[in-house]
Amino acid sequence: MVGFAMALQSKTTTCTATTPLQLRRSLYPFTSNVSFQLSQKSPRRFHVTAVVKKSPKRLKYSVPRLPKEDGLLYIEVDPEGSDTWKLDSAVELLKSGAVGVIPTDTVYAMVCDMNNHDAIERLRRLKEVEASKPFSILCRSLHDIDTYTTGFPRGNSNGLSDYFRAVKHCVPGPYTFILTASKALPKQCVKYGPALPKYASRKSLGVRIPDDVVCQAVLEKMGAPLISTSVRSPQENQWIIDPVLIADTYGPEGLNFVIDAGVRLANPSTVVDMLQIPPTIIRQGKGPKQQWMADPNDVEEKD
């Protein structure tokens, strides 16, 4: 027995097995009837602070490459962007066709990959967005806007103001600009409907460059803009500014993740129609009116 114990101790100290089966064979080469449990902790690459409980109200429309586990990934981050490494798991989900919620410089936004048609359809179903209602895209810079639109109106010899130079002073910031979509924009972003015969081209597109470090970190890790729509309550049609309430509302419906960067103010972006001359505000929000912007409400008050 002493010899057996010494042999066992010797093998235990020099064991390099990495699986339960290899460990058992290394310690007990003369028997196969020994049973034991091996506890092994795997390192975590991100910090998950909460997971919403499972719900049978999942969307029937699912993306095959998404994880099979039901539930919602909830990631709490520093609003100042000191821990953007936590965003890696959410970005991987987005690249796999997920639909999630991220912070912006105004309200929270529900987003998905602009190149994934299935994800866009899931986003419409989650928000119950009508097929005729357009989405916006969150951009990293003016370069993205130049790529996916025909650009801002520029000055010419006929006296047309150079609105591009004026817009440069407003971005990044709480503005959504309506521009003409370019051919570089994926077809699923400018067409809508569940079947090809019902597709119809949409010539305009809303673009945003949010002034938020967490949002910009997500966009940089994605390497491309994201389809976006503001998060509202389905019943009350009001902005949901608390990420916990967003998880409670849309988690049971199939939302894949929420990035919590704190409670926001119920003040959306200012929407400016750049297709009109002069550019016209069609929704006044957080972004203040600039001198080069027209406001129909001002005309009505004067009349």
Side-chain angles (χ1 to χ4, degrees), residues 142 152 154 163-172 177 292:
L142 287 169
F152 294 94
R154 297 177 182 266
Y163 293 111
F164 175 74
R165 299 181 65 179
V167 167
K168 290 176 65 176
H169 296 286
C170 298
V171 295
F177 298 105
W292 50 272

Side-chain angles (χ1 to χ4, degrees), residues 218-234:
V218 173
L219 293 173
E220 288 296 333
K221 290 174 181 290
M222 277 294 296
L226 290 170
I227 291 288
S228 168
T229 180
S230 301
V231 180
R232 289 175 175 266
S233 171

Side-chain angles (χ1 to χ4, degrees), residues 35 56 73 90 127 199 238 245 257 277 300:
S35 61
L73 178 65
K127 280 291 301 294
Y199 274 17
Q238 297 179 349
L245 296 180
F257 69 85
I277 301 298
E300 292 177 1

Side-chain angles (χ1 to χ4, degrees), residues 5-292:
M6 294 180 63
L8 177 59
Q9 181 179 5
S10 176
K11 288 182 176 292
T12 302
T13 57
T14 59
C15 177
T16 59
T18 58
T19 66
L21 181 58
Q22 292 175 347
L23 181 61
R24 184 173 65 182
R25 289 177 176 175
S26 175
L27 294 178
Y28 307 98
F30 43 81
T31 180
S32 60
N33 297 324
V34 179
S35 61
F36 58 89
Q37 294 181 345
L38 181 64
S39 176
Q40 184 177 1
K41 294 183 179 180
S42 58
R44 294 185 178 181
R45 297 176 55 192
F46 56 90
H47 176 65
V48 180
T49 59
V51 177
V52 176
K53 63 181 180 179
K54 297 180 180 180
S55 171
K57 297 182 179 180
R58 294 282 292 179
L59 290 175
K60 295 182 180 179
Y61 196 94
S62 61
V63 179
R65 292 193 298 167
L66 285 178
K68 295 182 180 179
E69 293 81 3
D70 197 359
L72 175 142
L73 178 65
Y74 193 95
I75 307 173
E76 186 175 10
V77 298
D78 177 12
E80 300 299 325
S82 64
D83 51 3
T84 55
W85 58 269
K86 294 181 181 179
L87 304 174
D88 292 345
S89 55
V91 172
E92 290 302 316
L93 285 176
L94 282 172
K95 292 180 178 179
S96 299
V99 176
V101 169
I102 67 174
T104 72
D105 54 350
T106 55
V107 295
Y108 275 87
M110 192 174 294
V111 299
C112 70
D113 184 356
M114 66 184 299
N115 294 297
N116 192 312
H117 180 269
D118 292 340
I120 295 175
E121 288 300 312
R122 292 185 64 240
L123 177 56
R124 286 195 179 279
R125 296 186 181 205
L126 272 171
K127 280 291 301 294
E128 298 182 353
V129 177
E130 297 179 359
S132 58
K133 185 176 180 180
F135 287 124
S136 297
I137 62 173
L138 301 180
C139 301
R140 297 166 292 176
S141 64
L142 287 169
H143 177 72
D144 284 340
I145 295 179
D146 288 339
T147 300
Y148 298 106
T149 72
T150 57
F152 294 94
R154 297 177 182 266
N156 56 27
S157 57
N158 296 326
L160 180 64
S161 301
D162 191 346
Y163 293 111
F164 175 74
R165 299 181 65 179
V167 167
K168 290 176 65 176
H169 296 286
C170 298
V171 295
Y175 294 92
T176 298
F177 298 105
I178 307 299
L179 295 168
T180 302
S182 70
K183 295 182 179 180
L185 193 70
K187 293 182 178 180
Q188 55 265 34
C189 299
V190 294
K191 297 184 177 182
Y192 60 92
L196 288 174
K198 296 182 180 180
Y199 274 17
S201 297
R202 183 183 295 112
K203 296 180 180 180
S204 61
L205 174 71
V207 294
R208 281 205 63 197
I209 305 179
D211 187 15
D212 183 271
V213 292
V214 177
C215 179
Q216 284 295 330
V218 173
L219 293 173
E220 288 296 333
K221 290 174 181 290
M222 277 294 296
L226 290 170
I227 291 288
S228 168
T229 180
S230 301
V231 180
R232 289 175 175 266
S233 171
Q235 291 79 21
E236 301 175 0
N237 196 31
Q238 297 179 349
W239 312 108
I240 307 181
I241 57 176
D242 189 336
V244 174
L245 296 180
I246 294 175
D248 290 340
T249 301
Y250 288 101
E253 301 300 326
L255 187 70
N256 298 116
F257 69 85
V258 172
I259 297 176
D260 179 355
V263 178
R264 305 279 131 155
L265 296 176
N267 198 4
S269 64
T270 296
V271 180
V272 183
D273 186 357
M274 302 297 295
L275 302 179
Q276 302 184 44
I277 301 298
T280 303
I281 295 176
I282 58 178
R283 183 185 72 188
Q284 181 64 59
K286 183 178 178 179
K289 177 183 178 297
Q290 303 296 320
Q291 293 182 352
W292 50 272

